[in-house]
Amino acid sequence: MEEAKVTEVPHLERRVRKQKEPMAILKTKLSRSLSCSMPRVKTTLTGLFPVVLWLPKYKLKEYIWGDLMSGLVIGIILVPQAIAYCLLAGVDPIYGLYTSFFANIIYFFMGTSRHVSVGIFSLMSLMVGQVVDREVYMAGFDLDDTKADGILNVTVDSDSSAVNLTMGAFGMECGKECYAISIAAAMTFLVGIYQVLMAVFRLGFVSVYLSAPMLDGFATGASFTILTVQAKYLLGLKIPRHQGYGTVVVTWINILSNIQNTNYCDLITSAICISVLVAGKELQERYKDRLKIPLPTELVVVAIATLASHFGDFHRRYDSNVSGAIPTGFIPPKVPSFGLMPRVAFDAIPLAVISFAFTVSLSEMFAKKNGYTVRPNQEMMAIAFCNIIPSFFHCFTTSAALAKTMVKDSTGCQTQVSSIVSAFVVLLVLLFFAPLFYSLQKCVLACIIIVSLRGALRKFRDVPSKWRVSKMDAVVWMVTMSASALISVEMGLVVGVVFSMLCIIIQTQKPKVSLLGQIHDTAHYEDMEEYENLKSLPKVKIFRFQAPLYYANKDFFLKSLYKAVGLEPFLEMTRRRKAEKNAETLAAKEAGRAEKTNGEVKVGLGSRELDLHTIILDCSAMPFIDSTGMQTFKGILKDYKEVGVTVLLASCNTTVIDSLRQGSFFGKADKDMENLSFYTVHAAVRFANDRAASTSELSNPVPRELPSWDL
């Protein structure tokens, strides 16, 4: 009864869908977008500023203590990190504090995640710093760490563009540090503009191409570069910053060549600070269930190291490199230099994509963990304005940071009110405590940066498990990591994306193919290589191709099909012609020896009975086909028909069927569709066997029995 139901499924009629004309669709969208009404204005404003929806519903008694605690902890962590990451960004420490302050406030108004911590991120700082160093070097400034006294008047021709800046806020020409933050601010403004355009045109799908293994490899490779760039500070070496590819290799060669010039004061300080920071991190991880708040190890190290450097006068006595004067208050806002933007327009693209990808992925991850939803497009707008608005206040590119977001989640954060608390802590430092960091050694900041890389560098321990789970993901990780570390961070991103896409193409070029066998007494069929006790059908071959059929894998599809069914039509036709020719030659020789055939020669000797009469193509794992795939189907249908083998299709989805219908695969008006395409493999098998049986009866009719009479 079950088999009868399978074969008696009627041919389904496709639903007719009326498609609107493109102009009508465009007019409708324009009318919706350009219409103005109070409800629409209210919806737009609440969508752009989600804070007006959730802040009135804020549960003060339930949320306030968790938000205060997490905000204070993040603020304490932010201060030393904001100062330290400016070493990576190539700008003065004050600009790191500005960036952390403005980013937290803007995300409070525009973000949809309750837990994400937006601000300075080591990877973003490194990518900004590489561009800043390049442009500062091309402008003729010295890249050493000593600050140039006075104001420089620089006019250098580079790529047919002159560098001659004037700091509008103060009416004076721009020196090295001013030029560096001008480059960073111009690029940050462009990053925000790119992200707004991505949000408007719904280009968030770009982040889909940034796979998790690729991002992990990229972060690990960039961590090597960060560690290398900071290594000279640990040793107190004054070596030039390398520009171009191979930063890791060239920098380590320079470090080893100048190792005899190590500043022992910085070396001893670095060893002590790293030991204390690592010990604090290990204690935090080991007793994280007992500790209600994270240990403020960085702040303690910064405080003690600053006091030791100040009272020990390390800068004058041992020539130790210190942070220098950090002014209090805010510098007047300034419009980013539009003249510098063409120089960094291309560099801002990877920054925009990476910043958005990290922010959205972290938002969705912690939203899922805590049981709420975020809006990815609004997240893109939020991080975009976290770059656009601060660029007017001498800030550089920001992003969500995993480590600080995890700390917020673990310290009881409930809403983005914690970001306001963190911004307040940074504001106190900006207004009152910034000058206290004058004597802080740069090697201490480098230690904070390097210890923060432990999580990324520990990814090496996951490589064996990645290899066991997916060799392709492990290879993507290793290639991206190597390119990011050995070539450059930007090229590592490009190599990672391109290599990931090539891996997908390779997987579709040579996918898994299989012959199917029937599960006994059922209407189901499975791979005969993977399962035991499957029944092979006599004179019917069922072939499954587990990938889309398109121009790149057409040849592999044909070779796999010929090998699986054991019959290649061209070779079979060639064999038959050769056999017929041999038969004619043999018959002619026999006729010459003895004229018994009276000139009649029969050439039936060249034919042979094939061991199959039908090939069924299981298309259930074939999501789509292109025009080349459609022509391939046409070709195998024609070629196998010439050798007496029927080709049937089974389990085609509507996309494949539409492609075949557009190519007239089923004949005029799809007249042969019911005889070529079936909803299930079993229906195709029943049809093939029934037709073979009827053909056999026609070619070999059973003789009727004559009645017997008694004579």
Side-chain angles (χ1 to χ4, degrees), residues 125-181:
S125 302
L126 173 67
M127 297 176 72
V128 169
Q130 290 183 332
V131 179
V132 168
D133 290 345
R134 183 194 70 203
E135 294 300 322
V136 167
Y137 176 78
M138 293 177 65
F141 293 104
D142 190 4
L143 286 180
D144 63 13
D145 297 316
T146 59
K147 296 185 179 180
D149 296 329
I151 303 301
L152 296 179
N153 182 5
V154 181
T155 303
V156 178
D157 290 332
S158 178
D159 297 333
S160 301
S161 60
V163 177
N164 188 6
L165 295 179
T166 300
M167 194 168 182
F170 299 100
M172 61 184 183
E173 293 180 352
C174 197
K176 175 187 172 184
E177 299 303 333
C178 168
Y179 185 58
I181 192 58

Side-chain angles (χ1 to χ4, degrees), residues 590-607:
E590 292 294 333
R593 292 177 184 176
E595 299 178 359
K596 294 182 178 181
T597 59
N598 295 324
E600 296 179 1
V601 179
K602 296 182 179 180
V603 292
L605 298 174
S607 62

Side-chain angles (χ1 to χ4, degrees), residues 327-632:
T328 57
F330 290 90
I331 300 175
K334 175 186 174 184
V335 177
S337 175
F338 291 98
L340 293 175
M341 291 181 188
R343 305 175 67 90
V344 296
F346 183 77
D347 300 293
I349 296 175
L351 275 166
V353 175
I354 292 295
S355 173
F356 156 70
F358 274 104
T359 303
V360 172
S361 60
L362 283 178
S363 300
E364 292 181 341
M365 180 173 70
F366 282 89
K368 184 178 180 180
K369 177 183 177 183
N370 292 278
Y372 61 93
T373 59
V374 295
R375 290 185 284 136
N377 211 57
Q378 177 60 25
E379 286 295 297
M380 189 185 295
M381 292 294 289
I383 198 64
F385 281 95
C386 284
N387 287 312
I388 292 176
I389 297 175
S391 67
F392 289 82
F393 296 90
H394 314 282
C395 301
F396 51 92
T397 311
T398 59
S399 169
L402 175 61
K404 291 190 283 291
T405 303
M406 293 179 66
V407 170
K408 287 184 72 171
D409 183 50
S410 63
T411 51
C413 173
Q414 299 292 330
T415 67
Q416 283 299 327
V417 170
S418 61
S419 296
I420 294 295
V421 178
S422 300
F424 180 74
V425 174
V426 176
L427 180 63
L428 290 178
V429 176
L430 280 169
L431 296 179
F432 304 107
F433 304 119
L436 300 179
F437 296 98
Y438 177 90
S439 299
L440 178 61
Q441 294 167 273
K442 287 189 176 181
C443 64
V444 177
L445 301 177
C447 292
I448 294 173
I449 294 173
I450 290 174
V451 173
S452 69
L453 303 176
R454 291 165 67 249
L457 296 176
R458 281 179 173 178
K459 296 291 184 180
F460 279 100
R461 299 188 304 185
D462 300 334
V463 174
S465 61
K466 286 180 183 291
W467 183 265
R468 288 190 296 269
V469 173
S470 173
K471 292 181 175 60
M472 192 69 72
D473 287 349
V475 172
V476 168
W477 186 92
M478 288 186 285
V479 169
T480 308
M481 183 274 299
S482 302
S484 301
L486 300 179
I487 303 176
S488 71
V489 176
E490 292 81 3
M491 283 302 299
L493 178 63
V494 174
V495 169
V497 172
V498 172
F499 188 77
S500 299
M501 297 178 69
L502 285 177
C503 290
I504 299 299
I505 294 173
I506 291 172
Q507 285 180 317
T508 60
Q509 277 188 312
K510 293 187 176 181
K512 181 176 176 57
V513 296
S514 53
L515 277 179
L516 306 186
Q518 185 180 20
I519 303 175
H520 288 277
D521 300 327
T522 67
H524 303 288
Y525 299 80
E526 265 303 339
D527 190 347
M528 297 183 69
E529 290 186 358
E530 300 293 338
Y531 295 95
E532 303 246 350
N533 302 321
L534 296 181
K535 183 176 70 173
S536 60
L537 304 178
K539 295 194 175 184
V540 176
K541 300 289 185 181
I542 308 171
F543 179 76
R544 177 186 289 167
F545 189 75
Q546 301 185 30
L549 180 59
Y550 65 113
Y551 66 93
N553 61 11
K554 179 253 303 181
D555 293 332
F556 180 78
F557 172 80
L558 292 174
K559 290 178 182 178
S560 303
L561 176 63
Y562 297 154
K563 183 178 179 181
V565 302
L567 178 65
E568 186 171 349
F570 177 77
L571 296 180
E572 176 63 19
M573 291 300 298
T574 303
R575 189 201 64 79
R576 290 185 181 183
R577 293 191 190 100
K578 186 175 180 180
E580 289 178 358
K581 186 176 180 181
N582 291 339
E584 289 177 357
T585 303
L586 180 61
K589 289 181 180 179
E590 292 294 333
R593 292 177 184 176
E595 299 178 359
K596 294 182 178 181
T597 59
N598 295 324
E600 296 179 1
V601 179
K602 296 182 179 180
V603 292
L605 298 174
S607 62
R608 68 165 183 174
E609 185 178 358
L610 298 176
D611 58 353
L612 77 159
H613 56 69
T614 304
I615 297 174
I616 300 174
L617 301 179
D618 179 10
C619 303
S620 59
M622 195 176 292
F624 68 89
I625 62 173
D626 65 355
S627 59
T628 304
M630 186 271 298
Q631 292 295 337
T632 302

Side-chain angles (χ1 to χ4, degrees), residues 51-95:
V51 66
V52 300
L53 294 177
W54 61 263
L55 190 59
K57 303 176 183 178
Y58 188 81
K59 301 177 182 178
L60 187 63
K61 294 182 179 180
E62 185 177 347
Y63 293 162
I64 189 63
W65 292 113
D67 286 340
L68 280 175
M69 181 62 67
S70 63
L72 286 172
V73 171
I74 293 298
I76 291 171
I77 295 174
L78 267 178
V79 172
Q81 284 192 353
I83 298 173
Y85 286 164
C86 288
L87 293 180
L88 293 174
V91 297
D92 281 352
I94 188 66
Y95 302 121

